[in-house]
Amino acid sequence: MKNWIFAITTLAVCNGFALTVDEIVEKANQAAYYAGSDGQADVKMVITDATGGERTREFRILRLNTGAGSQKFYVYFKEPADVRQQVFMVWKEVEQGKDDSRWLFLPALNLVKPIAPGDKRTSFVGSDFVYEDVSGRALWEDTHELSGETETQYLIKNKPNNPDAVDFSEYTVAIDKTTFLPVKAEYLDKNGKLFRRVEAVKIETIQGHPTVTESRVEDLARGGRTINFFSAVIYDTGLKESIFTERFLRRPPREATK
Amino acid sequence: MNTIRQISLISLILSSSAFAADLALHGFVDARYGLRTQNDPNKGDKTLEELRLQLSRVWYQDLFTATVRSDFLFDGVANNHDQLNLETGKGPVDLREMNVQFTPVDWMDIKAGRQILTWGTGDLLFINDLFPKDWKSFFAGRDEEYLKAPSDALFISFFPPFASIDFAYTPRFDSDRFIDGERFSYWNGAALTGTDLKTERQDEWLEDDETAARIYHTFEGMEFAVYGYDGFWKTPQGFDPVKGKNTFPKLSVYGTSIRGPLAGGIARLEGGYYDSRDDRNGTDPWAPNSQARLLAGYEHEIIKDLTGSAQYYIEHMMRHNEYCDAYPGPSGTEADENRHVLTLRLTQMLLNQNLTLGLFVYWSPSDQDGYLRPGVSYKLTDHWLMEARGNFFFGEHNYTFFGQFEDNSNASLAARYSF
């Protein structure tokens, strides 16, 4: 499931008698973001800026598939101290024209605050990952093209259908032919220069699901990088949908605090 | 306070914070210093000179969750270390939370004890949130969390399928921590003054109580809520001419709100009727008039990492003619029938969200006054935060809500170590 942190969702046609475009795109999207009916993981994020300064974030993330591509996420922060016990919740929508809903819970004020949907290419908690890396990029937002193929990987070039809405002109994703997990994505800026690289550093099979347990993003333009370490990954825990409500923002459930 | 004492106090607090981390205690050490940006004939220059240690501990048990969170404070402006009043937060200890939360049946949660309570949709404007506020902390530039003062309450939530219902019972009235001359000067009805405001507060357990309720439901992304409150005006807006003391007249509030996504942002609308039960016909000069209050707000990301939010708020006095006829103060200082307020919030995040530039503006075209709250904060590391804040009041008149605080305008610097 940590695969949703690892943001590559798209694929394209392959040759010959193999899978159709739609089948591949769907398979990769499922492998990266939808494994199991639900999942949870402890995430440690190490953010290193261009000058070598290091910051860490630690949180528990709960994810539930709620049907037709929509999902609910519950992120419970443990570190650093100034955000401890804060909760970030997302109801993700993939249907065209529908925005995600996001909330923040601030424990010191006991305040549940809806957050304006905003730019999905904004940094997630100050890291080099963006919101879209966490919850996925809808398939319809890009045009996909098979740009190459090796024995083990498909190489897919993706061009945004609405270039003004994003910070890249295109990105190429390498997808493992066996697991269908995206293992590397490289983003070109508006001038066609490589500026961002996301990689799956470590993959383990957990409960039958190939799972990225370490991922890395590099900001090649500014020099920063962020590494995510995933632990305590569990699928199909039977998460209840009621957890993803105001009640459990104000009163974090055992699934988040234990 | 002398430097050696200050240094030894800091080192004591820092060493105790290291010790605290070993005990799974968390919190912060926070030092703040603030000065008036002009002279105030009624008060000294300092608005803040404090060192604060917050410690918190949460116990997650199978049957309950217990929380204790308390501040220990050296306050060089209030200088009231010999007093200890946990109810008002005066003195060296400010107990923020001490409560137990449990779920007796799966459709009900109970939280009992000292807790921070918040609801409603306004951004630094409150209509149906009648839980105690701390205006002194807010105006002095303490962290925004201190705008909320704790309640000693029983909070019960019910979750039937059709809606969620919250019920807050405060067995003894918790007023706001209002401007009373301790740190800031104010308009006393006839003149600006810095002397202590004399008040008489209802304090009978179970008799002088407060009850607040909210029913809310989210449908298609829109959150609908209705609210009710039975208690007292939260600031001493009444006056007892025999005793010469300000009082907290009876108040009931009924209101509603809607909040949800609109055109890529978040829109909100909230209204409430303030039934001033001691002066329903508006003729008592010593009790506030009933009011209708309404706010409309919208928040949107302007560009990446810059969010803007605006609100319009109106306070309508129900019986303005009667109020003017009975008004005891100097002629010309009466409140208007309608008080209009506009607010604007801008928040810019920079440098990997470690630098935050913020501005909040209140401006009342009817009162011709306002309040600017600029702030800059920088997270040096995961532990250290530095910030600078301003609280600038302006107004044409000394008797309007923000205008009376003009001489209290201040700027402050702070450093915080979180652990």
Side-chain angles (χ1 to χ4, degrees):
Chain A
M1 106 173 193
K2 47 291 114 41
N3 308 342
W4 354 296
I5 291 279
F6 182 59
I8 315 129
T9 54
T10 47
L11 284 197
V13 192
C14 51
N15 52 9
F17 53 85
L19 299 163
T20 67
V21 190
D22 289 348
E23 282 169 333
I24 296 171
V25 165
E26 189 50 35
K27 262 176 119 77
N29 195 33
Q30 288 296 326
Y33 292 99
Y34 293 88
S37 59
D38 64 54
Q40 69 177 54
D42 286 334
V43 183
K44 181 174 182 184
M45 208 175 229
V46 179
I47 306 162
T48 310
D49 65 28
T51 63
E54 202 170 88
R55 292 164 203 260
T56 60
R57 309 275 176 268
E58 286 178 41
F59 51 88
R60 166 78 54 86
I61 184 161
L62 309 176
R63 181 254 311 168
L64 177 68
N65 298 345
T66 49
S70 59
Q71 292 178 311
K72 293 181 177 174
F73 297 91
Y74 187 105
V75 181
Y76 179 78
F77 285 93
K78 299 178 177 181
E79 293 289 340
D82 65 328
V83 297
R84 184 175 293 124
Q85 295 179 319
Q86 287 189 11
V87 184
F88 175 64
M89 183 169 78
V90 180
W91 291 7
K92 169 188 162 185
E93 303 287 350
V94 290
E95 209 175 300
Q96 207 157 351
K98 267 194 175 177
D99 279 323
D100 293 354
S101 302
R102 305 185 199 169
W103 293 263
L104 195 62
F105 172 65
L106 304 173
L109 286 160
N110 190 11
L111 175 68
V112 172
K113 192 178 155 189
I115 308 172
D119 188 335
K120 290 184 182 175
R121 305 298 301 171
T122 299
S123 159
F124 180 68
V125 297
S127 73
D128 297 290
F129 288 95
V130 298
Y131 279 96
E132 217 165 53
D133 294 331
V134 181
S135 59
R137 178 166 170 84
L139 299 176
W140 56 262
E141 293 192 82
D142 300 310
T143 301
H144 321 290
E145 175 203 331
L146 182 66
S147 61
E149 195 174 342
T150 70
E151 208 155 288
T152 57
Q153 293 180 340
Y154 301 110
L155 294 177
I156 312 296
K157 190 190 273 187
N158 309 276
K159 291 203 167 175
N161 294 327
N162 180 6
D164 294 339
V166 292
D167 54 352
F168 54 83
S169 60
E170 64 172 66
Y171 63 102
T172 301
V173 183
I175 290 156
D176 186 284
K177 284 185 173 176
T178 321
T179 63
F180 278 89
L181 280 178
V183 291
K184 183 154 114 177
E186 292 188 318
Y187 293 76
L188 305 187
D189 66 15
K190 304 286 179 187
N191 300 317
K193 191 171 173 235
L194 178 65
F195 79 103
R196 183 168 194 263
R197 183 185 294 130
V198 186
E199 283 172 287
V201 178
K202 206 166 168 189
I203 295 173
E204 296 170 55
T205 298
I206 296 169
Q207 293 173 251
H209 302 288
T211 299
V212 179
T213 54
E214 186 179 329
S215 63
R216 176 173 61 209
V217 57
E218 290 165 281
D219 182 335
L220 303 167
R222 290 188 302 168
R225 66 179 184 278
T226 299
I227 302 178
N228 280 341
F229 301 94
F230 300 88
S231 58
V233 179
I234 319 174
Y235 295 102
D236 300 316
T237 60
L239 283 183
K240 288 186 187 151
E241 193 164 355
S242 62
I243 281 176
F244 302 87
T245 58
E246 176 167 341
R247 178 185 188 180
F248 289 99
L249 284 176
R250 289 183 190 264
R251 193 204 94 187
R254 187 170 312 172
E255 289 83 346
T257 57
K258 274 275 176 182
Chain B
M1 111 178 139
N2 82 46
T3 315
I4 291 174
R5 199 169 129 217
Q6 195 161 16
I7 289 169
S8 60
L9 189 60
I10 291 172
S11 58
L12 177 69
I13 287 183
L14 285 175
S15 60
S16 67
S17 72
F19 177 63
D22 292 341
L23 291 176
L25 284 169
H26 293 292
F28 54 77
V29 182
D30 183 293
R32 265 162 217 271
Y33 190 77
L35 286 173
R36 279 183 171 73
T37 48
Q38 65 294 305
N39 281 330
D40 182 344
N42 297 300
K43 281 280 147 194
D45 287 341
K46 275 186 288 192
T47 50
L48 273 179
E49 182 188 32
E50 67 186 33
L51 189 59
R52 178 185 298 264
L53 168 69
Q54 179 173 96
L55 291 175
S56 74
R57 172 91 203 254
V58 183
W59 290 264
Y60 296 104
Q61 301 295 324
D62 287 342
L63 296 177
F64 64 90
T65 300
T67 304
V68 176
R69 188 160 62 93
S70 185
D71 286 9
F72 304 90
L73 181 67
F74 175 87
D75 184 337
V77 178
N79 244 327
N80 52 7
H81 305 98
D82 49 336
Q83 302 173 22
L84 180 62
N85 186 332
L86 293 180
E87 182 102 20
T88 60
K90 281 205 165 103
V93 180
D94 184 8
L95 181 62
R96 307 295 298 172
E97 283 190 84
M98 188 164 74
N99 59 65
V100 176
Q101 183 168 51
F102 55 103
T103 301
V105 285
D106 66 3
W107 44 268
M108 183 200 240
D109 289 339
I110 295 177
K111 194 172 187 179
R114 176 157 287 208
Q115 53 192 300
I116 304 290
L117 294 171
T118 304
W119 63 38
T121 66
D123 183 8
L124 302 184
L125 285 174
F126 303 95
I127 295 180
N128 291 296
D129 179 337
L130 286 125
F131 303 116
K133 319 291 184 306
D134 181 346
W135 298 106
K136 279 187 256 190
S137 290
F138 188 60
F139 290 171
R142 287 181 180 141
D143 190 277
E144 220 164 80
E145 79 166 86
Y146 288 96
L147 172 56
K148 280 287 181 169
S151 299
D152 293 317
L154 177 66
F155 192 82
I156 307 178
S157 303
F158 303 92
F159 302 95
F162 56 91
S164 301
I165 301 163
D166 289 332
F167 181 82
Y169 180 70
T170 305
R172 187 166 70 161
F173 173 51
D174 285 322
S175 76
D176 284 357
R177 297 177 181 181
F178 47 86
I179 302 302
D180 60 359
E182 175 204 274
R183 192 176 299 265
F184 297 118
S185 55
Y186 61 96
W187 175 257
N188 70 0
L192 292 175
T193 176
T195 56
D196 283 354
L197 183 68
K198 292 194 170 40
T199 59
E200 183 156 278
R201 186 163 71 142
Q202 296 83 332
D203 59 1
E204 285 290 321
W205 286 93
L206 303 177
E207 197 165 300
D208 298 321
D209 54 1
E210 294 174 279
T211 307
R214 170 175 71 141
I215 304 173
Y216 64 101
H217 185 63
T218 302
F219 180 72
E220 295 281 315
M222 301 296 286
E223 180 199 88
F224 298 86
V226 294
Y227 309 83
Y229 170 79
D230 184 79
F232 306 91
W233 288 86
K234 304 295 284 191
T235 55
Q237 300 204 28
F239 188 69
D240 181 336
V242 177
K243 293 181 178 164
K245 286 182 172 177
N246 281 66
T247 60
F248 302 84
K250 290 182 182 130
L251 175 70
S252 296
V253 179
Y254 314 95
T256 185
S257 70
I258 306 174
R259 176 166 66 182
L262 180 72
I266 304 281
R268 52 185 178 259
L269 189 63
E270 180 170 341
Y273 180 75
Y274 277 51
D275 177 10
S276 186
R277 279 149 42 219
D278 285 346
D279 187 24
R280 280 188 167 138
N281 53 21
T283 52
D284 183 347
W286 311 116
N289 220 303
S290 294
Q291 295 175 344
R293 298 184 179 190
L294 182 75
L295 76 82
Y298 187 62
E299 179 184 329
H300 200 284
E301 191 180 62
I302 299 168
I303 51 169
K304 194 164 159 176
D305 289 323
L306 173 63
T307 302
S309 153
Q311 297 178 113
Y312 167 72
Y313 167 89
I314 180 168
E315 215 171 82
H316 173 76
M317 197 184 287
M318 300 311 293
R319 299 201 177 250
H320 192 252
N321 288 341
E322 288 83 344
Y323 158 82
C324 288
D325 290 346
Y327 186 68
S331 173
T333 64
E334 298 90 344
D336 291 338
E337 184 172 16
N338 293 310
R339 175 171 171 247
H340 303 266
V341 179
L342 294 162
T343 76
L344 175 71
R345 181 194 282 274
L346 292 172
T347 307
Q348 169 92 62
M349 307 272 261
L350 297 163
L351 304 178
N352 290 342
Q353 301 177 7
N354 291 313
L355 177 63
T356 305
L357 309 179
L359 175 67
F360 194 95
V361 182
Y362 294 91
W363 176 58
S364 172
S366 53
D367 279 357
Q368 295 172 284
D369 67 357
Y371 173 23
L372 294 172
R373 289 172 56 83
V376 183
S377 69
Y378 182 64
K379 292 180 188 177
L380 284 126
T381 68
D382 282 338
H383 296 289
W384 281 102
L385 174 90
M386 306 285 292
E387 65 183 16
R389 290 168 185 262
N391 291 280
F392 304 118
F393 302 90
F394 59 92
E396 288 291 306
H397 310 290
N398 287 337
Y399 53 83
T400 60
F401 188 78
F402 295 120
Q404 65 183 311
F405 301 124
E406 199 164 36
D407 289 342
N408 294 307
S409 293
N410 62 81
S412 61
L413 285 173
R416 175 180 287 208
Y417 179 83
S418 301
F419 57 90

